[in-house]
Amino acid sequence: MFEGHDPYLVALSVAIASLGGYTGFALAARIRNTPGVSNRVLLAGAAVFLAVGIWTMHFVGMLAAPLPPDTVYLVLPTIISFLICALVVGISLFFVSIGEPSLKRVASSAVLLGAGIASMHYVGIHGLAGPFGIVHDPIMVLLSVVVAIVTAYGGLRAFLAQQEGVRLIVSSIVFGMAVSGMHYTAMLGMHFEPLTGTAHHHAGGGLAASQQILSIIVAVLCFVIAAGFLLSLVPDQRRQASAPVAVDPVAPSVAPAVVSAAPPRPMAPLGGLGQPPRAPVPRLPVESADGTHFIETANVRSVRADAHYTRVHDGTRERMCPWSISEAEAQLDPSLFLRVHRSHIVAIPHVALVRKEGDGAVLELDGPSPHRVPVSRAKIAEVKARLGLVNRRQA
């Protein structure tokens, strides 16, 4: 498959696709996780970085390929290939970034993303001009599209399972494999056939760019992708500073409207003494771009404070809840949920592992995407008692 290719440029092409995937997916994750920022801006940025990553990988791969001499690139097909890529990637991200990530929705997005990668490739390939004709093996064309769709599905699944940390890295690597795997599979099924002098006159028509010009453009885009990747690694100070805060006297204008939708309730710790009896809520509200959904408390693994709101983890991913951490604590069943930290509530039945860490401890919660929650030092004894690790008297 790589016969005659420059191995260093092949490796660079895969790395560029993965870096573009990481940057794009990191921006897409913030569509759900960053209130107050325009979803359109984040979606457009994610689509642009993913499209630039795909397009740049393609042309780095073309620079690595043993092309016939005097090959030039027609500008119009090259630009069209990028526009197709950006449009299809944007639509695919839109489908997986809003609403519930059902199997049908993710599969449709993967098909669309894979088809977009393949379309960009073949439109870009036919932007090559020179004293040759391009012939494709139909079986390899079909195989390249299948490779793009299958690996795109794997990348989207890994991204949706956990939109940060190791899973985000895995999803970006799988995305890089999807793009580069499709490209080099398609290149394996592509052949150049020399043309006669009379048949070659059409190749010079239209605006064209040499491989040297393309190399400069690709180098600039590689720098842009690398810069975007490094910027995506910079911690969001605003989110870090706001996470421990439960109450702020200066609340956003939308907060009173959300809170006022429910009657006032006493805010007491789980199982607090001296409070009137109350029935725990069976479901928690979570927000998405298309409205408010409700998830069963039996599916909730943890609740994390996020400024005036909370993030509810259902074992697969986090979703925004309009309640504060105090209101969530007051509404959840104290026999099932325990506040283990000033910013965290956990579902005791879903605790799969407990481990001491520093002065506190860490709990791992089960689910398709296990995640960890810190336990403050003051809560360790109560957590052990609830888990049956020590006698409650000893605690």
Side-chain angles (χ1 to χ4, degrees), residues 231-299:
L231 286 175
S232 67
L233 298 179
V234 176
D236 191 334
Q237 298 296 332
R238 181 183 61 182
R239 292 179 62 192
Q240 287 186 347
S242 63
V245 180
V247 178
D248 191 333
V250 184
S253 58
V254 71
V258 175
V259 176
S260 62
R265 301 179 179 90
M267 300 304 176
L270 291 172
L273 300 176
Q275 298 297 331
R278 57 177 173 76
V281 294
R283 300 186 300 171
L284 271 70
V286 291
E287 302 290 347
S288 66
D290 57 349
T292 302
H293 299 267
F294 294 88
I295 60 175
E296 301 291 333
T297 55
N299 296 327

Side-chain angles (χ1 to χ4, degrees), residues 14 16 65 68 85 94-95 105 128 146 173 198-200 214 241 249 258 263 282 299 303 310 320 344 349 378:
V14 179
I16 285 297
C85 185
F94 175 76
F95 280 135
R105 182 186 292 268
L128 293 175
V146 171
I173 292 175
T198 57
H200 175 53
L214 182 67
V258 175
N299 296 327
V303 180
T310 48
M320 191 187 81
H344 296 276

Side-chain angles (χ1 to χ4, degrees), residues 14-38:
V14 179
I16 285 297
S18 297
L19 291 180
Y22 184 96
T23 308
F25 285 146
L27 287 175
R30 295 184 183 182
I31 294 175
R32 295 181 182 273
N33 298 337
T34 310
V37 177
S38 173

